[in-house]
């Protein structure tokens, strides 16, 4: 398994991945199914912080894919900065595993890779309290549990903190205090 940025992903591979994820209920992949090249372009622009791609409260973010050859197994996003949504509901780090690749260690591999190769400083990971598989993954990497958050629409959101090991010129997702 390799972890690659979006510009190293073949559009057809992304389209196949997006279709399977969409069919399982991940609606965020609707556009990627039909125009994967434009979707990849949008991810790269969001990583650059291009304001044209940050509407609706989106923060700059980097996306990476776990792949086996041309087959995408999962994706992870690292949001830079902070706002109400990130601090309380979605966290700095969001990920998913392709439904047909679940229980293969994909999410754990992606989280460990981000911590070891991309993340500087602390970041939040949030999860709905009934997502036991994701909670197990987050706990297995040694994330520190924080105070849960209650959202009227989502219910109880469990929040965890991880600390990256990078000390280069990469940007920390949390603002300096």
């Amino acid at each position: 398994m390799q972890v690659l940025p979006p510009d190293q992903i073949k559009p057809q591979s992304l389209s196949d991945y997006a279709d399977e994820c969409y069919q399982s209920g991940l609606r965020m992949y609707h556009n990627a199914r039909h125009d994967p090249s434009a979707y990849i372009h949008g991810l790269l622009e969001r990583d650059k912080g291009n304001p044209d791609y940050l509407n609706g409260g989106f923060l700059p973010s980097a996306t990476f894919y776990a792949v086996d050859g041309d087959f995408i197994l999962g994706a992870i996003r690292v949001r830079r900065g902070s706002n109400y949504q990130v601090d309380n509901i979605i966290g700095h780090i969001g990920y998913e595993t392709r439904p047909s690749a679940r229980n293969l260690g994909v999410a754990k591999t992606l989280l460990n890779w981000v911590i070891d190769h991309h993340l500087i400083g602390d970041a939040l990971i949030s999860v709905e309290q009934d997502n036991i598989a994701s909670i197990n993954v987050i706990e297995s990497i040694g994330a520190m549990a924080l105070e849960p958050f209650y959202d009227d629409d989502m219910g109880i959101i469990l929040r965890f903190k991880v600390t990256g090991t990078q000390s280069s010129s990469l940007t920390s997702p949390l603002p300096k205090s």
Side-chain angles (χ1 to χ4, degrees):
M1 183 181 328
Q2 289 182 285
V3 179
L4 300 174
D7 60 351
Q8 293 183 29
I9 298 298
K10 293 182 179 176
Q12 185 58 51
S13 297
L14 179 60
S15 180
D16 294 344
Y17 173 77
D19 190 52
E20 185 175 335
C21 289
Y22 184 83
Q23 296 300 327
S24 75
L26 289 171
R27 299 297 178 229
M28 65 188 248
Y29 283 110
H30 175 74
N31 292 337
R33 297 167 59 214
H34 304 294
D35 194 347
S37 295
Y39 187 85
I40 289 169
H41 176 75
L43 294 177
L44 297 171
E45 291 300 311
R46 192 173 297 152
D47 190 19
K48 294 176 192 173
N50 182 335
D52 293 338
Y53 291 84
L54 300 176
N55 54 4
F58 283 109
L59 294 172
S61 62
T63 299
F64 301 96
Y65 293 95
V67 299
D68 182 8
D70 290 336
F71 191 76
I72 300 174
L73 302 167
I76 192 164
R77 290 158 297 287
V78 182
R79 299 170 189 93
R80 295 186 300 277
S82 218
N83 62 23
Y84 179 85
Q85 279 289 104
V86 167
D87 292 346
N88 298 297
I89 299 170
I90 62 173
H92 292 103
I93 299 173
Y95 59 90
E96 76 275 337
T97 299
R98 182 184 202 126
S100 62
R102 291 186 178 146
N103 299 312
L104 300 176
V106 175
K108 185 173 181 176
T109 296
L110 282 167
L111 280 168
N112 281 321
W113 187 90
V114 161
I115 290 167
D116 292 343
H117 295 95
H118 186 75
L119 191 62
I120 297 173
D122 295 339
L124 300 173
I125 305 174
S126 299
V127 60
E128 293 176 48
Q129 73 173 353
D130 61 349
N131 189 342
I132 303 304
S134 191
I135 292 166
N136 289 338
V137 169
I138 294 165
E139 290 176 341
S140 78
I141 64 161
M144 183 175 82
L146 301 173
E147 177 119 3
F149 179 81
Y150 178 79
D151 179 73
D152 289 336
D153 295 325
M154 306 280 293
I156 296 175
I157 307 291
L158 302 180
R159 300 177 318 137
F160 297 84
K161 180 176 85 170
V162 294
T163 302
T165 61
Q166 289 299 300
S167 59
S168 67
S169 61
L170 296 174
T171 307
S172 172
L174 289 177
K176 296 194 184 335
S177 35

